[in-house]
Amino acid sequence: MTRAISPAAGARLLADLAALGPYFAVDLHRPGLPVRPPWQPLGELTGSPEALAGRIGEVRERLAAAAGCPAAAVEFRVAASIAQLGLCARLLSPALGAAAAGRALSVEVAQARWVPALGGPFRLSLAEEAIAAGPGTAAAAALLAGPVTQIVRTVEAMAVSPRVLWGNVASAVNGAATMIAAARPDLAGRAAETAAALLGHPDLAGTYQGRPLRGFRRRNCCLIYRLSPERPVYCGDCVLGQ
């Protein structure tokens, strides 16, 4: 069971999350306040195939610019996979970080706001009541079963393998636990426990081997190696890097 916490406790949690790294940092806003630039409603991105396709297009253009090639030279499915991985990691990391700290952080995308950016984690703002006392695993699991699943299904419909997309989610979960353990070794145990609970989601079965922080490795690939097949670069948990 969760319950409201004091403003001071909420401020401490926000500071603790920011100290874990940019993927964990969040702002808070009062529900009902007008959305003002540069902020945009997050639900308009996650709930719209057209908006997600637009985001993927932007990622594709950035990847192409970094590689010094035209956007058409970057496979759409590669850009889609990378965009989906980054988005899911940005949503899951704060919830997992809060759970490791003994708090619940509800990421309600219908009320959340974001600042579009490329090349790293974007700014994320949640409604003030998002923070609560009590175990946070349930809040993280609800995020996984709701918005994250919706994102996976939308991108899957754009011709990306669901095994790749769910593998990205598993990688995001383990990656968050790894970053927490590196920044706060005292939270490593709870981070691993929360990550293991999330990895029990039925759609993640068969997408990885090992355990969080203990020999975790994907059984598929995020496709980033396809950006340079002649000199491929593999992620640390990629099946192709074994």
PDB file of all heavy atoms in Angstrom, residues 203-236:
ATOM      1  N   ASP A 203       5.859 -11.064 -21.337  1.00  0.00           N
ATOM      2  CA  ASP A 203       6.390 -10.731 -22.659  1.00  0.00           C
ATOM      3  C   ASP A 203       7.917 -10.662 -22.687  1.00  0.00           C
ATOM      4  O   ASP A 203       8.519 -10.607 -23.776  1.00  0.00           O
ATOM      5  CB  ASP A 203       5.811  -9.413 -23.158  1.00  0.00           C
ATOM      6  CG  ASP A 203       4.355  -9.540 -23.580  1.00  0.00           C
ATOM      7  OD1 ASP A 203       4.039 -10.496 -24.310  1.00  0.00           O
ATOM      8  OD2 ASP A 203       3.535  -8.714 -23.158  1.00  0.00           O
ATOM      9  N   LEU A 204       8.554 -10.663 -21.523  1.00  0.00           N
ATOM     10  CA  LEU A 204      10.011 -10.613 -21.473  1.00  0.00           C
ATOM     11  C   LEU A 204      10.630 -12.003 -21.391  1.00  0.00           C
ATOM     12  O   LEU A 204      11.855 -12.143 -21.470  1.00  0.00           O
ATOM     13  CB  LEU A 204      10.474  -9.773 -20.273  1.00  0.00           C
ATOM     14  CG  LEU A 204      10.083  -8.295 -20.329  1.00  0.00           C
ATOM     15  CD1 LEU A 204      10.534  -7.578 -19.069  1.00  0.00           C
ATOM     16  CD2 LEU A 204      10.682  -7.622 -21.557  1.00  0.00           C
ATOM     17  N   ALA A 205       9.797 -13.016 -21.258  1.00  0.00           N
ATOM     18  CA  ALA A 205      10.307 -14.391 -21.179  1.00  0.00           C
ATOM     19  C   ALA A 205      11.079 -14.732 -22.447  1.00  0.00           C
ATOM     20  O   ALA A 205      10.617 -14.485 -23.556  1.00  0.00           O
ATOM     21  CB  ALA A 205       9.149 -15.369 -20.981  1.00  0.00           C
ATOM     22  N   GLY A 206      12.264 -15.277 -22.270  1.00  0.00           N
ATOM     23  CA  GLY A 206      13.064 -15.698 -23.403  1.00  0.00           C
ATOM     24  C   GLY A 206      13.865 -14.605 -24.068  1.00  0.00           C
ATOM     25  O   GLY A 206      14.582 -14.868 -25.042  1.00  0.00           O
ATOM     26  N   THR A 207      13.779 -13.365 -23.581  1.00  0.00           N
ATOM     27  CA  THR A 207      14.516 -12.273 -24.212  1.00  0.00           C
ATOM     28  C   THR A 207      15.890 -12.060 -23.584  1.00  0.00           C
ATOM     29  O   THR A 207      16.684 -11.268 -24.101  1.00  0.00           O
ATOM     30  CB  THR A 207      13.740 -10.951 -24.124  1.00  0.00           C
ATOM     31  OG1 THR A 207      13.581 -10.579 -22.740  1.00  0.00           O
ATOM     32  CG2 THR A 207      12.366 -11.078 -24.780  1.00  0.00           C
ATOM     33  N   TYR A 208      16.194 -12.760 -22.501  1.00  0.00           N
ATOM     34  CA  TYR A 208      17.470 -12.558 -21.800  1.00  0.00           C
ATOM     35  C   TYR A 208      17.868 -13.833 -21.076  1.00  0.00           C
ATOM     36  O   TYR A 208      17.073 -14.766 -20.911  1.00  0.00           O
ATOM     37  CB  TYR A 208      17.352 -11.402 -20.795  1.00  0.00           C
ATOM     38  CG  TYR A 208      16.450 -11.727 -19.626  1.00  0.00           C
ATOM     39  CD1 TYR A 208      16.963 -12.221 -18.428  1.00  0.00           C
ATOM     40  CD2 TYR A 208      15.069 -11.570 -19.717  1.00  0.00           C
ATOM     41  CE1 TYR A 208      16.129 -12.540 -17.360  1.00  0.00           C
ATOM     42  CE2 TYR A 208      14.229 -11.881 -18.661  1.00  0.00           C
ATOM     43  CZ  TYR A 208      14.772 -12.373 -17.493  1.00  0.00           C
ATOM     44  OH  TYR A 208      13.944 -12.696 -16.450  1.00  0.00           O
ATOM     45  N   GLN A 209      19.090 -13.836 -20.610  1.00  0.00           N
ATOM     46  CA  GLN A 209      19.561 -14.907 -19.737  1.00  0.00           C
ATOM     47  C   GLN A 209      20.321 -14.271 -18.577  1.00  0.00           C
ATOM     48  O   GLN A 209      20.730 -13.115 -18.648  1.00  0.00           O
ATOM     49  CB  GLN A 209      20.477 -15.869 -20.492  1.00  0.00           C
ATOM     50  CG  GLN A 209      21.731 -15.226 -21.045  1.00  0.00           C
ATOM     51  CD  GLN A 209      22.505 -16.172 -21.967  1.00  0.00           C
ATOM     52  OE1 GLN A 209      21.915 -17.001 -22.652  1.00  0.00           O
ATOM     53  NE2 GLN A 209      23.824 -16.042 -21.967  1.00  0.00           N
ATOM     54  N   GLY A 210      20.512 -15.033 -17.506  1.00  0.00           N
ATOM     55  CA  GLY A 210      21.158 -14.468 -16.331  1.00  0.00           C
ATOM     56  C   GLY A 210      20.171 -13.708 -15.467  1.00  0.00           C
ATOM     57  O   GLY A 210      18.951 -13.844 -15.606  1.00  0.00           O
ATOM     58  N   ARG A 211      20.709 -12.869 -14.578  1.00  0.00           N
ATOM     59  CA  ARG A 211      19.893 -12.079 -13.672  1.00  0.00           C
ATOM     60  C   ARG A 211      20.403 -10.645 -13.662  1.00  0.00           C
ATOM     61  O   ARG A 211      21.552 -10.391 -14.033  1.00  0.00           O
ATOM     62  CB  ARG A 211      19.950 -12.658 -12.246  1.00  0.00           C
ATOM     63  CG  ARG A 211      19.309 -14.025 -12.111  1.00  0.00           C
ATOM     64  CD  ARG A 211      19.434 -14.548 -10.676  1.00  0.00           C
ATOM     65  NE  ARG A 211      18.831 -13.646  -9.716  1.00  0.00           N
ATOM     66  CZ  ARG A 211      17.533 -13.564  -9.465  1.00  0.00           C
ATOM     67  NH1 ARG A 211      16.692 -14.324 -10.126  1.00  0.00           N
ATOM     68  NH2 ARG A 211      17.076 -12.707  -8.564  1.00  0.00           N
ATOM     69  N   PRO A 212      19.575  -9.714 -13.234  1.00  0.00           N
ATOM     70  CA  PRO A 212      20.035  -8.330 -13.140  1.00  0.00           C
ATOM     71  C   PRO A 212      21.301  -8.226 -12.290  1.00  0.00           C
ATOM     72  O   PRO A 212      21.384  -8.812 -11.209  1.00  0.00           O
ATOM     73  CB  PRO A 212      18.861  -7.609 -12.468  1.00  0.00           C
ATOM     74  CG  PRO A 212      17.675  -8.440 -12.789  1.00  0.00           C
ATOM     75  CD  PRO A 212      18.164  -9.855 -12.811  1.00  0.00           C
ATOM     76  N   LEU A 213      22.287  -7.539 -12.814  1.00  0.00           N
ATOM     77  CA  LEU A 213      23.581  -7.313 -12.153  1.00  0.00           C
ATOM     78  C   LEU A 213      24.414  -8.586 -12.026  1.00  0.00           C
ATOM     79  O   LEU A 213      25.522  -8.547 -11.484  1.00  0.00           O
ATOM     80  CB  LEU A 213      23.401  -6.697 -10.748  1.00  0.00           C
ATOM     81  CG  LEU A 213      22.533  -5.442 -10.645  1.00  0.00           C
ATOM     82  CD1 LEU A 213      22.541  -4.911  -9.218  1.00  0.00           C
ATOM     83  CD2 LEU A 213      23.018  -4.374 -11.606  1.00  0.00           C
ATOM     84  N   ARG A 214      23.907  -9.707 -12.523  1.00  0.00           N
ATOM     85  CA  ARG A 214      24.628 -10.973 -12.387  1.00  0.00           C
ATOM     86  C   ARG A 214      24.553 -11.758 -13.704  1.00  0.00           C
ATOM     87  O   ARG A 214      23.711 -12.623 -13.890  1.00  0.00           O
ATOM     88  CB  ARG A 214      24.045 -11.815 -11.244  1.00  0.00           C
ATOM     89  CG  ARG A 214      24.192 -11.177  -9.859  1.00  0.00           C
ATOM     90  CD  ARG A 214      23.498 -12.005  -8.802  1.00  0.00           C
ATOM     91  NE  ARG A 214      24.007 -13.372  -8.730  1.00  0.00           N
ATOM     92  CZ  ARG A 214      23.489 -14.320  -7.955  1.00  0.00           C
ATOM     93  NH1 ARG A 214      22.419 -14.042  -7.200  1.00  0.00           N
ATOM     94  NH2 ARG A 214      23.996 -15.528  -7.936  1.00  0.00           N
ATOM     95  N   GLY A 215      25.444 -11.433 -14.607  1.00  0.00           N
ATOM     96  CA  GLY A 215      25.521 -12.155 -15.862  1.00  0.00           C
ATOM     97  C   GLY A 215      24.355 -11.928 -16.807  1.00  0.00           C
ATOM     98  O   GLY A 215      24.063 -12.789 -17.631  1.00  0.00           O
ATOM     99  N   PHE A 216      23.696 -10.786 -16.700  1.00  0.00           N
ATOM    100  CA  PHE A 216      22.570 -10.507 -17.604  1.00  0.00           C
ATOM    101  C   PHE A 216      23.077 -10.356 -19.034  1.00  0.00           C
ATOM    102  O   PHE A 216      24.061  -9.662 -19.296  1.00  0.00           O
ATOM    103  CB  PHE A 216      21.860  -9.224 -17.180  1.00  0.00           C
ATOM    104  CG  PHE A 216      20.731  -8.828 -18.113  1.00  0.00           C
ATOM    105  CD1 PHE A 216      19.436  -9.236 -17.851  1.00  0.00           C
ATOM    106  CD2 PHE A 216      20.973  -8.057 -19.239  1.00  0.00           C
ATOM    107  CE1 PHE A 216      18.394  -8.878 -18.707  1.00  0.00           C
ATOM    108  CE2 PHE A 216      19.947  -7.696 -20.095  1.00  0.00           C
ATOM    109  CZ  PHE A 216      18.655  -8.110 -19.826  1.00  0.00           C
ATOM    110  N   ARG A 217      22.392 -10.997 -19.967  1.00  0.00           N
ATOM    111  CA  ARG A 217      22.704 -10.831 -21.389  1.00  0.00           C
ATOM    112  C   ARG A 217      21.435 -11.044 -22.203  1.00  0.00           C
ATOM    113  O   ARG A 217      20.655 -11.951 -21.930  1.00  0.00           O
ATOM    114  CB  ARG A 217      23.779 -11.820 -21.841  1.00  0.00           C
ATOM    115  CG  ARG A 217      24.245 -11.563 -23.274  1.00  0.00           C
ATOM    116  CD  ARG A 217      25.450 -12.411 -23.622  1.00  0.00           C
ATOM    117  NE  ARG A 217      26.630 -12.002 -22.892  1.00  0.00           N
ATOM    118  CZ  ARG A 217      27.441 -11.016 -23.251  1.00  0.00           C
ATOM    119  NH1 ARG A 217      27.170 -10.323 -24.346  1.00  0.00           N
ATOM    120  NH2 ARG A 217      28.498 -10.713 -22.542  1.00  0.00           N
ATOM    121  N   ARG A 218      21.266 -10.203 -23.185  1.00  0.00           N
ATOM    122  CA  ARG A 218      20.118 -10.345 -24.077  1.00  0.00           C
ATOM    123  C   ARG A 218      20.260 -11.595 -24.935  1.00  0.00           C
ATOM    124  O   ARG A 218      21.370 -12.078 -25.183  1.00  0.00           O
ATOM    125  CB  ARG A 218      20.033  -9.133 -25.009  1.00  0.00           C
ATOM    126  CG  ARG A 218      19.708  -7.851 -24.325  1.00  0.00           C
ATOM    127  CD  ARG A 218      19.648  -6.712 -25.321  1.00  0.00           C
ATOM    128  NE  ARG A 218      18.626  -6.920 -26.352  1.00  0.00           N
ATOM    129  CZ  ARG A 218      18.001  -5.941 -26.984  1.00  0.00           C
ATOM    130  NH1 ARG A 218      18.289  -4.691 -26.683  1.00  0.00           N
ATOM    131  NH2 ARG A 218      17.093  -6.193 -27.892  1.00  0.00           N
ATOM    132  N   ARG A 219      19.124 -12.069 -25.419  1.00  0.00           N
ATOM    133  CA  ARG A 219      19.130 -13.154 -26.391  1.00  0.00           C
ATOM    134  C   ARG A 219      18.773 -12.645 -27.786  1.00  0.00           C
ATOM    135  O   ARG A 219      18.463 -13.428 -28.674  1.00  0.00           O
ATOM    136  CB  ARG A 219      18.145 -14.246 -25.953  1.00  0.00           C
ATOM    137  CG  ARG A 219      18.665 -15.044 -24.769  1.00  0.00           C
ATOM    138  CD  ARG A 219      17.718 -16.128 -24.356  1.00  0.00           C
ATOM    139  NE  ARG A 219      18.342 -17.034 -23.397  1.00  0.00           N
ATOM    140  CZ  ARG A 219      17.687 -17.921 -22.658  1.00  0.00           C
ATOM    141  NH1 ARG A 219      16.365 -18.035 -22.774  1.00  0.00           N
ATOM    142  NH2 ARG A 219      18.327 -18.702 -21.819  1.00  0.00           N
ATOM    143  N   ASN A 220      18.803 -11.327 -27.934  1.00  0.00           N
ATOM    144  CA  ASN A 220      18.566 -10.708 -29.228  1.00  0.00           C
ATOM    145  C   ASN A 220      19.346  -9.401 -29.268  1.00  0.00           C
ATOM    146  O   ASN A 220      20.113  -9.119 -28.345  1.00  0.00           O
ATOM    147  CB  ASN A 220      17.064 -10.483 -29.459  1.00  0.00           C
ATOM    148  CG  ASN A 220      16.398  -9.852 -28.256  1.00  0.00           C
ATOM    149  OD1 ASN A 220      16.841  -8.823 -27.758  1.00  0.00           O
ATOM    150  ND2 ASN A 220      15.329 -10.459 -27.769  1.00  0.00           N
ATOM    151  N   CYS A 221      19.161  -8.622 -30.304  1.00  0.00           N
ATOM    152  CA  CYS A 221      19.988  -7.425 -30.509  1.00  0.00           C
ATOM    153  C   CYS A 221      19.110  -6.218 -30.794  1.00  0.00           C
ATOM    154  O   CYS A 221      18.067  -6.327 -31.450  1.00  0.00           O
ATOM    155  CB  CYS A 221      20.952  -7.676 -31.670  1.00  0.00           C
ATOM    156  SG  CYS A 221      21.908  -6.226 -32.172  1.00  0.00           S
ATOM    157  N   CYS A 222      19.542  -5.054 -30.340  1.00  0.00           N
ATOM    158  CA  CYS A 222      18.781  -3.823 -30.583  1.00  0.00           C
ATOM    159  C   CYS A 222      18.961  -3.294 -31.998  1.00  0.00           C
ATOM    160  O   CYS A 222      18.342  -2.297 -32.368  1.00  0.00           O
ATOM    161  CB  CYS A 222      19.172  -2.742 -29.577  1.00  0.00           C
ATOM    162  SG  CYS A 222      20.825  -2.046 -29.856  1.00  0.00           S
ATOM    163  N   LEU A 223      19.836  -3.928 -32.780  1.00  0.00           N
ATOM    164  CA  LEU A 223      20.089  -3.602 -34.186  1.00  0.00           C
ATOM    165  C   LEU A 223      21.041  -2.437 -34.391  1.00  0.00           C
ATOM    166  O   LEU A 223      21.310  -2.056 -35.538  1.00  0.00           O
ATOM    167  CB  LEU A 223      18.787  -3.322 -34.961  1.00  0.00           C
ATOM    168  CG  LEU A 223      17.701  -4.391 -34.887  1.00  0.00           C
ATOM    169  CD1 LEU A 223      16.479  -3.946 -35.682  1.00  0.00           C
ATOM    170  CD2 LEU A 223      18.217  -5.729 -35.408  1.00  0.00           C
ATOM    171  N   ILE A 224      21.608  -1.897 -33.337  1.00  0.00           N
ATOM    172  CA  ILE A 224      22.481  -0.736 -33.519  1.00  0.00           C
ATOM    173  C   ILE A 224      23.716  -1.090 -34.337  1.00  0.00           C
ATOM    174  O   ILE A 224      24.296  -0.231 -35.009  1.00  0.00           O
ATOM    175  CB  ILE A 224      22.870  -0.130 -32.154  1.00  0.00           C
ATOM    176  CG1 ILE A 224      23.436   1.279 -32.351  1.00  0.00           C
ATOM    177  CG2 ILE A 224      23.852  -1.028 -31.404  1.00  0.00           C
ATOM    178  CD1 ILE A 224      23.641   2.042 -31.069  1.00  0.00           C
ATOM    179  N   TYR A 225      24.110  -2.347 -34.316  1.00  0.00           N
ATOM    180  CA  TYR A 225      25.276  -2.753 -35.102  1.00  0.00           C
ATOM    181  C   TYR A 225      25.047  -2.519 -36.598  1.00  0.00           C
ATOM    182  O   TYR A 225      26.003  -2.388 -37.375  1.00  0.00           O
ATOM    183  CB  TYR A 225      25.605  -4.228 -34.845  1.00  0.00           C
ATOM    184  CG  TYR A 225      24.783  -5.202 -35.655  1.00  0.00           C
ATOM    185  CD1 TYR A 225      25.262  -5.736 -36.853  1.00  0.00           C
ATOM    186  CD2 TYR A 225      23.497  -5.565 -35.237  1.00  0.00           C
ATOM    187  CE1 TYR A 225      24.494  -6.615 -37.607  1.00  0.00           C
ATOM    188  CE2 TYR A 225      22.724  -6.442 -35.988  1.00  0.00           C
ATOM    189  CZ  TYR A 225      23.234  -6.957 -37.169  1.00  0.00           C
ATOM    190  OH  TYR A 225      22.467  -7.818 -37.911  1.00  0.00           O
ATOM    191  N   ARG A 226      23.757  -2.450 -37.007  1.00  0.00           N
ATOM    192  CA  ARG A 226      23.436  -2.272 -38.424  1.00  0.00           C
ATOM    193  C   ARG A 226      23.810  -0.877 -38.936  1.00  0.00           C
ATOM    194  O   ARG A 226      23.830  -0.645 -40.143  1.00  0.00           O
ATOM    195  CB  ARG A 226      21.938  -2.494 -38.644  1.00  0.00           C
ATOM    196  CG  ARG A 226      21.447  -3.904 -38.352  1.00  0.00           C
ATOM    197  CD  ARG A 226      21.948  -4.881 -39.381  1.00  0.00           C
ATOM    198  NE  ARG A 226      21.552  -4.503 -40.726  1.00  0.00           N
ATOM    199  CZ  ARG A 226      22.101  -5.009 -41.833  1.00  0.00           C
ATOM    200  NH1 ARG A 226      23.069  -5.894 -41.743  1.00  0.00           N
ATOM    201  NH2 ARG A 226      21.666  -4.623 -43.023  1.00  0.00           N
ATOM    202  N   LEU A 227      24.139   0.031 -38.036  1.00  0.00           N
ATOM    203  CA  LEU A 227      24.551   1.363 -38.473  1.00  0.00           C
ATOM    204  C   LEU A 227      25.885   1.307 -39.200  1.00  0.00           C
ATOM    205  O   LEU A 227      26.179   2.166 -40.042  1.00  0.00           O
ATOM    206  CB  LEU A 227      24.651   2.309 -37.275  1.00  0.00           C
ATOM    207  CG  LEU A 227      23.326   2.681 -36.604  1.00  0.00           C
ATOM    208  CD1 LEU A 227      23.583   3.499 -35.353  1.00  0.00           C
ATOM    209  CD2 LEU A 227      22.432   3.446 -37.575  1.00  0.00           C
ATOM    210  N   SER A 228      26.702   0.310 -38.865  1.00  0.00           N
ATOM    211  CA  SER A 228      27.995   0.159 -39.515  1.00  0.00           C
ATOM    212  C   SER A 228      28.335  -1.320 -39.595  1.00  0.00           C
ATOM    213  O   SER A 228      29.171  -1.814 -38.835  1.00  0.00           O
ATOM    214  CB  SER A 228      29.084   0.914 -38.727  1.00  0.00           C
ATOM    215  OG  SER A 228      30.340   0.787 -39.355  1.00  0.00           O
ATOM    216  N   PRO A 229      27.701  -2.049 -40.513  1.00  0.00           N
ATOM    217  CA  PRO A 229      27.924  -3.491 -40.603  1.00  0.00           C
ATOM    218  C   PRO A 229      29.386  -3.862 -40.841  1.00  0.00           C
ATOM    219  O   PRO A 229      29.831  -4.943 -40.438  1.00  0.00           O
ATOM    220  CB  PRO A 229      27.040  -3.908 -41.796  1.00  0.00           C
ATOM    221  CG  PRO A 229      26.014  -2.827 -41.905  1.00  0.00           C
ATOM    222  CD  PRO A 229      26.722  -1.573 -41.495  1.00  0.00           C
ATOM    223  N   GLU A 230      30.154  -2.972 -41.492  1.00  0.00           N
ATOM    224  CA  GLU A 230      31.550  -3.284 -41.759  1.00  0.00           C
ATOM    225  C   GLU A 230      32.390  -3.237 -40.488  1.00  0.00           C
ATOM    226  O   GLU A 230      33.338  -4.016 -40.319  1.00  0.00           O
ATOM    227  CB  GLU A 230      32.143  -2.283 -42.773  1.00  0.00           C
ATOM    228  CG  GLU A 230      31.386  -2.212 -44.090  1.00  0.00           C
ATOM    229  CD  GLU A 230      30.158  -1.315 -44.022  1.00  0.00           C
ATOM    230  OE1 GLU A 230      30.003  -0.613 -43.004  1.00  0.00           O
ATOM    231  OE2 GLU A 230      29.357  -1.321 -44.976  1.00  0.00           O
ATOM    232  N   ARG A 231      32.040  -2.319 -39.596  1.00  0.00           N
ATOM    233  CA  ARG A 231      32.739  -2.203 -38.303  1.00  0.00           C
ATOM    234  C   ARG A 231      31.690  -2.119 -37.195  1.00  0.00           C
ATOM    235  O   ARG A 231      31.497  -1.065 -36.584  1.00  0.00           O
ATOM    236  CB  ARG A 231      33.629  -0.962 -38.301  1.00  0.00           C
ATOM    237  CG  ARG A 231      34.824  -1.055 -39.253  1.00  0.00           C
ATOM    238  CD  ARG A 231      35.617   0.227 -39.280  1.00  0.00           C
ATOM    239  NE  ARG A 231      34.840   1.325 -39.852  1.00  0.00           N
ATOM    240  CZ  ARG A 231      35.290   2.573 -39.969  1.00  0.00           C
ATOM    241  NH1 ARG A 231      36.492   2.883 -39.541  1.00  0.00           N
ATOM    242  NH2 ARG A 231      34.527   3.509 -40.490  1.00  0.00           N
ATOM    243  N   PRO A 232      31.010  -3.217 -36.957  1.00  0.00           N
ATOM    244  CA  PRO A 232      29.885  -3.186 -36.014  1.00  0.00           C
ATOM    245  C   PRO A 232      30.316  -2.900 -34.577  1.00  0.00           C
ATOM    246  O   PRO A 232      31.395  -3.301 -34.136  1.00  0.00           O
ATOM    247  CB  PRO A 232      29.298  -4.604 -36.137  1.00  0.00           C
ATOM    248  CG  PRO A 232      30.442  -5.445 -36.587  1.00  0.00           C
ATOM    249  CD  PRO A 232      31.245  -4.562 -37.495  1.00  0.00           C
ATOM    250  N   VAL A 233      29.469  -2.173 -33.882  1.00  0.00           N
ATOM    251  CA  VAL A 233      29.642  -1.890 -32.462  1.00  0.00           C
ATOM    252  C   VAL A 233      28.486  -2.555 -31.725  1.00  0.00           C
ATOM    253  O   VAL A 233      27.327  -2.389 -32.111  1.00  0.00           O
ATOM    254  CB  VAL A 233      29.647  -0.370 -32.185  1.00  0.00           C
ATOM    255  CG1 VAL A 233      29.722  -0.099 -30.692  1.00  0.00           C
ATOM    256  CG2 VAL A 233      30.818   0.298 -32.908  1.00  0.00           C
ATOM    257  N   TYR A 234      28.800  -3.318 -30.681  1.00  0.00           N
ATOM    258  CA  TYR A 234      27.777  -4.028 -29.944  1.00  0.00           C
ATOM    259  C   TYR A 234      27.613  -3.456 -28.526  1.00  0.00           C
ATOM    260  O   TYR A 234      28.597  -3.004 -27.918  1.00  0.00           O
ATOM    261  CB  TYR A 234      28.144  -5.516 -29.819  1.00  0.00           C
ATOM    262  CG  TYR A 234      28.367  -6.199 -31.152  1.00  0.00           C
ATOM    263  CD1 TYR A 234      29.614  -6.713 -31.494  1.00  0.00           C
ATOM    264  CD2 TYR A 234      27.341  -6.318 -32.070  1.00  0.00           C
ATOM    265  CE1 TYR A 234      29.837  -7.337 -32.709  1.00  0.00           C
ATOM    266  CE2 TYR A 234      27.536  -6.947 -33.298  1.00  0.00           C
ATOM    267  CZ  TYR A 234      28.790  -7.447 -33.617  1.00  0.00           C
ATOM    268  OH  TYR A 234      28.998  -8.045 -34.810  1.00  0.00           O
ATOM    269  N   CYS A 235      26.393  -3.482 -28.034  1.00  0.00           N
ATOM    270  CA  CYS A 235      26.136  -3.072 -26.655  1.00  0.00           C
ATOM    271  C   CYS A 235      26.722  -4.105 -25.694  1.00  0.00           C
ATOM    272  O   CYS A 235      26.944  -5.269 -26.068  1.00  0.00           O
ATOM    273  CB  CYS A 235      24.644  -2.912 -26.422  1.00  0.00           C
ATOM    274  SG  CYS A 235      23.852  -1.704 -27.512  1.00  0.00           S
ATOM    275  N   GLY A 236      26.927  -3.711 -24.460  1.00  0.00           N
ATOM    276  CA  GLY A 236      27.560  -4.596 -23.495  1.00  0.00           C
ATOM    277  C   GLY A 236      26.769  -5.851 -23.190  1.00  0.00           C
ATOM    278  O   GLY A 236      27.351  -6.877 -22.792  1.00  0.00           O
TER     279      GLY A 236
END
